[in-house]
Amino acid sequence: SQQGEEDPQALSIQEGENATMNCSYKTSINNLQWYRQNSGRGLVHLILIRSNEREKHSGRLRVTLDTSKKSSSLLITASRAADTASYFCATGQRTGFQKLVFGTGTRLLVSP
Amino acid sequence: SAVISQKPSRDICQRGTSLTIQCQVDSQVTMMFWYRQQPGQSLTLIATANQGSEATYESGFVIDKFPISRPNLTFSTLTVSNMSPEDSSIYLCSVGPGTGNYNEQFFGPGTRLTVL
């Protein structure tokens, strides 16, 4: 399977703390994306990082990409209760047919 | 970004029946995708639906079980046929920009299906 793996599977923190989630994948990629899913609803796109980029920021989000290790991390700083959700990484392959392959996801719980 | 709606939002069905899920986009898009998310699991791509051509199915998914229509650039349907309890999942449609090297996708709210 090409599906990526994320760790931890579940993460529980207090408001104000930082949350770090990691994603590993198996094949060469064109880009890597992070999505958030609240309570089994639709996914919301958070950030995209290209294979030639190493780090990207968006608000309280920081994403890193290490293509030599086939891994990425998502850091959420100063977390809030509203950040409680499942977070998925997804990779876009190098082939012309650009489908996404999703990782296993991390369930984040931020307690007030 | 595209705004996507799905109908129904949820349904409870009897085994052996079929359910058709609709996906409507507020703008014309080239590529639409259908995913399945089994309870507590990640998303698995079922098929890609391009307007004017047959849907392309991923390994493990077949047209007889999941027929897809794509009559125009803003609409698609996925039918889950001859359902069994194993088909209980969230079904999501998404759309992509369809061009270029980067394929950020926008997702509908999902259809939560329970098969008894």
Side-chain angles (χ1 to χ4, degrees):
Chain A
S1 169
Q2 295 180 335
Q3 188 175 60
E5 293 185 0
E6 293 179 58
D7 77 272
Q9 288 187 325
L11 179 61
S12 184
I13 59 174
Q14 299 291 316
E15 267 191 330
E17 296 180 337
N18 296 340
T20 299
M21 290 160 266
N22 302 296
C23 168
S24 61
Y25 56 92
K26 298 178 181 178
T27 63
S28 296
I29 63 171
N30 181 283
N31 63 88
L32 187 144
Q33 305 174 35
W34 286 89
Y35 289 81
R36 183 184 72 220
Q37 183 180 39
N38 291 86
S39 301
R41 301 290 293 169
L43 277 70
V44 174
H45 182 267
L46 295 176
I47 196 166
L48 180 152
I49 186 166
R50 301 169 186 173
S51 59
N52 61 353
E53 297 176 315
R54 291 297 166 257
E55 186 172 313
K56 204 162 184 179
H57 297 255
S58 177
R60 293 185 295 112
L61 306 180
R62 173 178 168 256
V63 169
T64 62
L65 178 64
D66 187 336
T67 53
S68 67
K69 296 181 179 178
K70 291 185 168 59
S71 67
S72 173
S73 68
L74 171 67
L75 168 67
I76 304 174
T77 59
S79 63
R80 306 166 181 168
D83 295 327
T84 295
S86 292
Y87 292 81
F88 294 92
C89 66
T91 53
Q93 307 302 305
R94 282 193 182 278
T95 61
F97 177 42
Q98 293 290 326
K99 66 179 183 180
L100 292 181
V101 178
F102 282 81
T104 51
T106 294
R107 295 186 306 279
L108 173 66
L109 173 63
V110 182
S111 301
Chain B
S1 64
V3 176
I4 305 160
S5 60
Q6 284 186 235
K7 291 181 181 179
S9 60
R10 59 177 60 226
D11 206 343
I12 301 173
C13 301
Q14 298 296 319
R15 72 167 65 214
T17 63
S18 298
L19 176 71
T20 295
I21 302 168
Q22 299 178 7
C23 180
Q24 180 76 51
V25 190
D26 69 342
S27 58
Q28 294 184 340
V29 294
T30 303
M31 303 178 77
M32 296 180 77
F33 305 88
W34 286 99
Y35 290 85
R36 180 177 73 183
Q37 186 179 25
Q38 294 176 302
Q41 303 296 312
S42 185
L43 279 74
T44 301
L45 181 65
I46 297 172
T48 302
N50 292 337
Q51 194 270 337
S53 63
E54 295 288 326
T56 302
Y57 289 83
E58 296 299 303
S59 176
F61 297 97
V62 295
I63 188 171
D64 289 348
K65 176 66 176 177
F66 297 102
I68 288 172
S69 77
R70 183 78 200 274
N72 56 53
L73 291 174
T74 63
F75 187 78
S76 177
T77 66
L78 169 76
T79 298
V80 186
S81 303
N82 188 25
M83 289 184 285
S84 66
E86 291 71 33
D87 294 319
S88 296
S89 297
I90 299 173
Y91 291 87
L92 301 112
C93 69
S94 74
V95 303
T99 59
N101 294 323
Y102 308 112
N103 56 333
E104 170 189 18
Q105 292 185 19
F106 302 99
F107 283 81
T111 295
R112 184 181 293 271
L113 171 62
T114 301
V115 184
L116 303 177

